């Protein structure tokens, strides 16, 4: 007597007896018994790798976050002091720190989780050589196709790490200039003088002029008549500068005294006196305007005339009429004996033609 079973390979398969089915079950049980230890060890190894990777990733990200918070607190302690005026403001430092922390956390997560994935594949006895070769070829192809993107990203990383500029700075990036409103790893956003927004790729920036770091220089040219007394001009300007350095808010915006550098140009109708002062970053234009305003008012009170107005002598001469304006030039035809009159006289016809 025999027991039939479902066909294993198709309708034409021979029936399986009870003894053969028992042998196959015993073989499967023995195979599972022989390999369950390997499966268990492999599974435990993969779980251990994943747990270690997650814990390491969490610890490193937490350490980076604490480091960034400590950097921000150290800057906030000096904000508002004399030293804080020379340093980057807390908001800009916070944004820069957050950007650097975001990049570091992303790189850390990619390296740790990528390494863990490769180790887990290795635990499954998967040959990683073809996979790594394919990834290398794909990376090279992606690098050639997206080289501009890679250039922009790397340039943005170095710009942030080197603190070349930050949000709120006024910069000249060559291709565009204006106030920085956002700093990204690929694109920097600038607001121009007329309100337009420029999107500048970081890889296109070849040179950067930061007008908001360190200090700025305010320069003013005062043009007066060449007949003015230079010592009186210097005295008036010095008094204006001393008073301006004591008034609010110019006493904070001026980082040095207003200096009279001397005569910058001497012409027949004017002479130029050059003024210079060291100011806070980004405050040079406002200081120049206020200094011109005060110098003009002081000159008006002192009777010193700035080039551009009408002199009293010129006004008197222009008002008097010219007596020779109504006299015409003499004419050569007024004299009948002049060559011009003789040439214009009619020709007398010959006598024979008159008959």
């Amino acid at each position: 007597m025999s027991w039939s079973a479902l066909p294993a390979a198709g309708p034409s398969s021979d029936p399986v007896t009870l003894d053969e089915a028992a042998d196959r079950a015993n073989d499967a049980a023995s195979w599972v018994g022989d390999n369950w230890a390997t499966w268990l060890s492999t599974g435990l190894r993969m779980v251990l790798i994943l747990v270690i990777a997650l814990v390491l990733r969490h610890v490193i990200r937490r350490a980076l976050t604490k480091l960034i918070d400590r950097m921000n607190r150290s800057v906030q302690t000096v904000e508002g002091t004399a030293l804080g005026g020379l340093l980057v403001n807390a908001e800009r430092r916070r944004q820069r720190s957050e950007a650097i922390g975001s990049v570091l956390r992303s790189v850390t997560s990619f390296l740790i989780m990528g390494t863990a994935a490769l180790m887990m594949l290795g635990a499954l006895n998967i040959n990683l050589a073809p996979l790594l070769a394919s990834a290398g070829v794909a990376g090279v192809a992606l690098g050639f196709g997206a080289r501009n993107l890679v250039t922009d990203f790397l340039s943005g990383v170095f710009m942030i790490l080197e603190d070349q500029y930050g949000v709120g700075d006024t910069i000249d990036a060559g291709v565009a200039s204006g106030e920085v409103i956002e700093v990204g790893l690929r694109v920097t956003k600038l607001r121009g003088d007329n309100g337009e927004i420029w999107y500048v790729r970081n890889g296109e920036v070849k040179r950067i002029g930061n007008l908001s770091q360190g200090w700025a220089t305010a320069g003013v040219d005062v043009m007066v008549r060449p007949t003015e007394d230079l010592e009186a001009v210097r005295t008036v300007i010095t008094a204006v500068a001393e008073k301006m350095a004591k008034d609010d808010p110019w006493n904070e915006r001026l980082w040095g005294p207003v200096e009279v550098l001397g005569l910058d140009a001497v012409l027949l109708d004017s002479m130029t006196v050059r003024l210079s002062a060291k100011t806070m970053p980004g405050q040079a234009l406002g200081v120049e305007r206020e200094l011109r305003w005060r110098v003009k008012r002081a000159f008006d009170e002192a009777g010193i005339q700035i080039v551009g107005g009408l002199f009293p002598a010129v006004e008197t001469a222009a008002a008097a009429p010219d007596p020779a304006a109504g006299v015409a030039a003499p004419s050569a035809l007024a004299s009948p004996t002049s060559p011009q009159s003789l040439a214009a006289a009619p020709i007398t016809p010959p006598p024979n033609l008159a008959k």
Side-chain angles (χ1 to χ4, degrees):
M1 184 177 180
S2 65
W3 295 85
S4 61
L6 292 176
S12 60
S13 300
D14 296 333
V16 180
T17 62
L18 181 59
D19 296 335
E20 292 177 351
D23 293 338
R24 293 181 180 181
N26 293 330
D27 294 339
S30 61
W31 182 80
V32 171
D34 294 338
N35 295 280
W36 75 271
T38 304
W39 294 349
L40 182 60
S41 62
T42 303
L44 292 177
R45 184 179 178 184
M46 294 176 62
V47 171
L48 182 61
I49 292 174
L50 182 60
V51 170
I52 293 176
L54 292 177
V55 171
L56 184 62
R57 174 176 173 269
H58 176 74
V59 170
I60 294 179
R61 289 172 65 93
R62 188 176 181 84
L64 291 174
T65 302
K66 289 185 176 180
L67 178 61
I68 292 171
D69 293 339
R70 184 178 301 176
M71 292 172 58
N72 294 334
R73 287 195 301 268
S74 63
V75 175
Q76 291 175 357
T77 55
V78 298
E79 187 180 14
T81 62
L83 179 60
L86 301 176
L87 298 178
V88 185
N89 58 67
E91 179 63 20
R92 171 179 167 182
R93 187 65 175 267
R94 186 191 65 79
Q95 293 176 351
R96 175 171 172 256
S97 301
E98 291 294 338
I100 296 175
S102 177
V103 173
L104 293 178
R105 284 191 292 265
S106 299
V107 172
T108 300
S109 299
F110 176 78
L111 292 178
I112 293 177
M113 300 309 296
T115 304
L118 293 178
M119 294 178 64
M120 292 172 66
L121 292 177
L124 295 175
N125 295 326
I126 297 177
N127 189 8
L128 300 179
L131 181 62
L132 295 177
S134 301
V137 173
V140 172
L142 182 62
F144 277 108
R147 57 184 180 274
N148 292 332
L149 182 62
V150 175
T151 302
D152 297 340
F153 181 82
L154 294 178
S155 300
V157 170
F158 283 107
M159 285 178 181
I160 294 175
L161 291 177
E162 296 173 359
D163 193 21
Q164 297 180 10
Y165 54 83
V167 176
D169 288 351
T170 301
I171 66 172
D172 181 3
V175 294
S177 60
E179 182 182 356
V180 180
I181 59 177
E182 184 178 342
V183 180
L185 294 178
R186 192 182 69 87
V187 175
T188 297
K189 293 172 62 176
L190 305 176
R191 184 176 295 279
D193 296 334
N194 297 324
E196 68 277 9
I197 295 180
W198 298 96
Y199 293 86
V200 181
R201 288 171 43 201
N202 296 330
E204 293 182 349
V205 179
K206 303 302 179 183
R207 53 93 173 164
I208 297 175
N210 195 323
L211 307 179
S212 301
Q213 286 184 352
W215 46 269
T217 302
V220 176
D221 292 332
V222 180
M223 299 180 64
V224 298
R225 293 183 300 178
T227 57
E228 297 290 348
D229 186 3
L230 290 178
E231 292 300 327
V233 172
R234 182 191 295 272
T235 302
V236 172
I237 294 177
T238 303
V240 170
E242 291 177 354
K243 187 177 184 304
M244 182 176 175
K246 298 177 182 178
D247 296 341
D248 293 329
W250 310 108
N251 54 356
E252 297 180 357
R253 299 179 183 180
L254 284 171
W255 283 9
V258 179
E259 300 179 359
V260 181
L261 301 182
L263 287 176
D264 192 63
V266 179
L267 304 177
L268 293 177
D269 57 347
S270 66
M271 57 183 179
T272 304
V273 180
R274 181 72 173 177
L275 310 180
S276 178
K278 184 180 295 185
T279 68
M280 292 177 60
Q283 301 295 330
L285 186 59
V287 171
E288 291 175 0
R289 292 171 177 171
E290 182 67 18
L291 189 58
R292 292 191 189 98
W293 182 283
R294 292 175 179 249
V295 169
K296 178 62 172 64
R297 292 182 58 183
F299 278 5
D300 292 341
E301 295 175 358
I304 301 175
Q305 191 169 12
I306 296 178
V307 170
L310 294 177
F311 304 143
V314 176
E315 294 178 356
T316 303
D322 188 3
V327 179
S331 176
L333 299 177
S335 177
T337 60
S338 64
Q340 289 81 2
S341 297
L342 296 177
I347 300 175
T348 306
N352 55 355
L353 294 179
K355 295 179 179 180

